[in-house]
């Protein structure tokens, strides 16, 4: 099987790595990919957000499957264009990707499907904004309705900051979603969907804030781990029963069946499980940990989803090991991202026993690997416990030098410390 991956992040590198390890996959191609992906796949240039270009490339390559990684091409209809030329594509149609493309749309689907989520108010002007902030009170949750790469959300106790973020969204011509604050730990659960059937992966936890102790701004994600030793034992079953399956059924009822990854971002609140957000793709950096743990070859799973055959799939097999991913970010991230700094030691990190390095914002400049984006590398550590996996990841990260870079030092720390504690059921 020949597979073409669309995207250029560490998530796509993780997907490429899993496909490269799948004996049924003979060729891995990527557009545009990155230097790390280029070590295991053939890279191509085309506009990844242009459906016609990606479909033409897939046709030329005689690809058996196209896997779309990021949200932007999905929302732009790249999966639709690929399917139109008769090639199976893993990833939702533009219509179904609206679950991520518009928070207001997602809330509407959740209401219809009776999926538990934070109560929202959609605001189109300053008056609505002020009223909604007053109604819910602090902490304020202010979101850009549209795509904002995980950075459109401000959670704050400061009314002036909440108002300013809302006003900035309005000034940019957008709509705002204000919602009830959800307390409790967050979980990401990726559900592989074929329009009708849900196959859940294992849950992971992401660290969205820039700095240790959840300080700083929201980012695309600074690290992740799986398994979650503290999570309720019936978490996955509960999410499938009360979130993923009802959402899939509602999307099918609307004539826009969802095929691809339904990323359920959840908060386990004092009042029960609530959806924080849906995404229409694999999460980054959770995917780097989750796919490393998946032992079932990935290609067959994604092809079964793309062809509507998930009900035929054998149960997925998972490693007993723990996997911790730590993101190395460039100087200035997330406010800005300095580019062109030399990266050294990435190969040494990759050679650390149990570790592997995935590229995101990297480029080659005259034979030298350099930074080219905000999140530069993901370092994944594997171990028999989270504590061991953390050790491996941080040891590997320690061999990498990138001037001005930063990373969190507390990824999976609390979970590793509480690893021995028993878990309870959610229901
Ligand atoms: P989103 O883009 O909707 O995923 O939001 C990004 C991050 O903001 C989430 O992962 C949460 O950490 C935080 N967040 C979003 N919505 C809420 C909420 N209703 N209550 C508390 N935190 C939230
Ligand atoms: N890890 C957050 C995201 O992928 O949106």
């Amino acid at each position: 099987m020949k597979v073409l991956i669309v995207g250029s992040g560490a998530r796509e590198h993780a997907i490429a790595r899993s496909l490269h390890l799948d004996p049924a996959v003979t060729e891995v191609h990527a557009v545009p990919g990155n230097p790390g992906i280029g070590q295991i796949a053939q890279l191509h240039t085309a506009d990844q957000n242009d459906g016609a270009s990606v479909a033409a490339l897939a046709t030329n390559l005689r690809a058996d499957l196209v896997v779309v990684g990021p949200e932007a091409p999905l929302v732009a209809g790249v999966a639709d264009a690929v399917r139109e030329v008769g090639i199976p594509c893993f990833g939702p149609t533009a219509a179904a990707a609206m679950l991520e493309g518009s928070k207001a749309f997602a809330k509407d689907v959740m209401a219809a499907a009776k999926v538990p989520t934070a109560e929202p108010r959609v605001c189109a002007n300053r008056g609505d904004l002020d009223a909604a902030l007053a109604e819910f009170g602090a902490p304020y949750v202010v979101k850009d309705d549209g795509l904002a790469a995980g950075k459109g959300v401000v959670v704050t106790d400061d009314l002036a900051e909440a108002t300013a973020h809302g006003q900035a969204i309005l000034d940019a011509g957008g709509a705002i979603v204000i919602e009830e604050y959800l307390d409790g730990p967050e979980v990401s659960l990726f559900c592989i969907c074929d329009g009708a059937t849900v196959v859940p992966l294992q849950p992971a936890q992401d660290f969205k804030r820039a700095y240790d102790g959840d300080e700083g701004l929201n980012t695309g994600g600074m690290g992740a781990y799986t398994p979650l030793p503290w999570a309720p034992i019936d978490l996955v079953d509960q999410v499938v029963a009360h979130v993923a399956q009802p959402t899939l059924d509602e999307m099918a009822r609307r004539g826009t069946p969802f095929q691809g990854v339904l990323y359920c971002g959840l908060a386990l609140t004092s009042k029960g499980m609530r959806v924080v957000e849906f995404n229409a793709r694999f999460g980054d950096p959770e995917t780097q940990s989750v796919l490393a743990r998946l032992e079932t070859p990935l290609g067959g799973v994604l092809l079964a989803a793309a062809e509507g055959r998930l009900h035929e799939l054998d149960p997925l097999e998972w490693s007993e090991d723990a996997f911790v991913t730590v993101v190395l970010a460039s100087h200035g991230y997330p406010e800005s991202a300095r580019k062109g700094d030399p990266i050294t030691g990435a190969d040494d990190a990759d050679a650390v026993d149990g570790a592997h390095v995935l590229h995101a914002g990297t480029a080659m400049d005259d034979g030298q690997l350099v930074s080219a984006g905000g999140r530069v590398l993901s370092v994944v550590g594997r171990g028999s416990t989270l504590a061991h996996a953390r050790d491996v990841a941080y040891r590997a990260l320690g061999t990498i030098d990138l001037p001005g870079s930063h990373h969190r030092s507390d990824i999976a720390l609390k979970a590793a410390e509480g690893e021995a504690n028993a878990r309870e059921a959610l229901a």
Side-chain angles (χ1 to χ4, degrees), residues 211-236:
Y211 307 121
D212 282 6
D214 292 332
E215 299 285 336
L217 293 176
N218 264 322
T219 69
M222 295 297 290
Y225 66 95
T226 182
L228 311 181
W230 51 269
I233 43 180
D234 57 345
L235 177 69
V236 172

Side-chain angles (χ1 to χ4, degrees), residues 103-239:
K103 293 187 191 289
F105 174 80
K107 290 288 186 185
D108 187 59
V109 170
M110 283 189 258
K114 301 194 167 49
V115 169
T117 186
E119 176 81 15
R121 297 283 176 271
V122 180
C123 308
N125 57 53
R126 180 58 183 265
D128 292 353
L129 169 65
D130 291 339
L133 291 172
E135 179 190 354
F136 288 122
Y140 304 100
V141 180
V142 183
K143 302 188 175 188
D144 189 334
D145 179 54
L147 287 183
K151 289 172 234 156
V153 179
V154 164
V155 181
T156 177
D157 285 321
D158 181 350
L159 179 60
E161 189 189 351
T163 307
H165 184 59
Q167 187 63 49
I169 295 168
L170 289 177
D171 292 347
I176 315 165
V177 177
I178 303 293
E179 62 182 41
E180 173 195 0
Y181 175 77
L182 300 174
D183 59 2
E186 286 185 42
V187 172
S188 302
L189 182 71
F190 304 151
C191 293
I192 307 285
C193 301
D194 67 358
T197 301
V198 177
V199 174
L201 301 185
Q202 288 293 319
Q205 191 172 46
D206 178 20
F207 292 74
K208 291 217 167 75
R209 299 283 185 148
Y211 307 121
D212 282 6
D214 292 332
E215 299 285 336
L217 293 176
N218 264 322
T219 69
M222 295 297 290
Y225 66 95
T226 182
L228 311 181
W230 51 269
I233 43 180
D234 57 345
L235 177 69
V236 172
D237 293 346
Q238 295 282 341
V239 177

Side-chain angles (χ1 to χ4, degrees), residues 13-404:
H13 193 174
I15 295 168
R17 179 176 180 271
S18 292
L19 292 173
H20 178 68
L21 294 171
D22 180 343
V25 174
T26 49
E27 287 177 30
V28 183
H29 296 265
V31 56
N34 63 40
I37 297 174
Q39 291 172 2
I40 51 173
Q42 215 173 304
L43 304 186
H44 302 273
T45 44
D47 178 355
Q48 65 165 356
N49 293 322
D50 182 55
S53 305
V54 174
L57 174 61
T59 303
N60 286 343
L61 293 172
R62 298 172 183 275
D64 299 294
L65 174 67
V66 174
V67 179
V68 182
E71 59 275 22
L74 291 168
V75 170
V78 167
D80 307 63
V82 170
R83 272 192 285 271
E84 266 162 34
V85 297
I87 298 175
C89 184
F90 182 79
T93 59
M98 283 298 280
L99 275 180
E100 173 164 4
S102 165
K103 293 187 191 289
F105 174 80
K107 290 288 186 185
D108 187 59
V109 170
M110 283 189 258
K114 301 194 167 49
V115 169
T117 186
E119 176 81 15
R121 297 283 176 271
V122 180
C123 308
N125 57 53
R126 180 58 183 265
D128 292 353
L129 169 65
D130 291 339
L133 291 172
E135 179 190 354
F136 288 122
Y140 304 100
V141 180
V142 183
K143 302 188 175 188
D144 189 334
D145 179 54
L147 287 183
K151 289 172 234 156
V153 179
V154 164
V155 181
T156 177
D157 285 321
D158 181 350
L159 179 60
E161 189 189 351
T163 307
H165 184 59
Q167 187 63 49
I169 295 168
L170 289 177
D171 292 347
I176 315 165
V177 177
I178 303 293
E179 62 182 41
E180 173 195 0
Y181 175 77
L182 300 174
D183 59 2
E186 286 185 42
V187 172
S188 302
L189 182 71
F190 304 151
C191 293
I192 307 285
C193 301
D194 67 358
T197 301
V198 177
V199 174
L201 301 185
Q202 288 293 319
Q205 191 172 46
D206 178 20
F207 292 74
K208 291 217 167 75
R209 299 283 185 148
Y211 307 121
D212 282 6
D214 292 332
E215 299 285 336
L217 293 176
N218 264 322
T219 69
M222 295 297 290
Y225 66 95
T226 182
L228 311 181
W230 51 269
I233 43 180
D234 57 345
L235 177 69
V236 172
D237 293 346
Q238 295 282 341
V239 177
V240 171
H242 299 295
V243 177
Q245 193 67 56
T247 299
L248 217 59
D249 295 346
E250 174 63 17
M251 291 298 283
R253 196 190 62 75
R254 292 180 181 215
T256 51
F258 186 93
Q259 183 268 105
V261 178
L262 179 64
Y263 167 141
C264 302
L266 307 150
L268 308 188
T269 77
S270 46
K271 294 186 211 151
M273 174 183 75
R274 300 277 186 279
V275 173
V276 177
E277 61 164 344
F278 280 142
N279 291 317
R281 47 157 179 95
F282 283 110
D284 186 341
E286 300 97 307
T287 298
Q288 290 86 302
S289 289
V290 171
L291 289 187
R293 200 178 150 205
L294 178 66
E295 291 190 334
T296 304
L298 183 64
V301 178
L302 301 185
L303 185 62
E307 294 182 339
R309 295 185 287 100
L310 280 179
H311 59 280
E312 294 173 2
L313 206 67
D314 289 331
L316 299 181
E317 286 171 31
W318 295 94
S319 163
E320 294 288 316
D321 284 344
F323 293 83
V324 172
T325 300
V326 184
V327 170
L328 184 68
S330 59
H331 180 82
Y333 181 77
E335 289 94 333
S336 61
R338 197 167 76 193
K339 295 180 183 167
D341 285 310
I343 304 165
T344 49
D347 290 341
D348 300 329
D350 206 53
V352 168
D353 194 25
H356 64 270
V357 175
L358 301 169
H359 289 224
T362 66
M364 291 305 288
D365 181 12
D366 230 354
Q368 168 68 49
L369 189 66
V370 297
S371 60
R375 292 187 294 175
V376 179
L377 297 170
S378 278
V379 181
V380 185
R382 171 185 196 143
S384 54
T385 61
L386 283 172
H388 181 203
R390 265 177 57 76
D391 241 35
V392 172
Y394 280 107
R395 201 152 18 91
L397 189 75
T399 68
I400 301 173
D401 185 55
L402 170 62

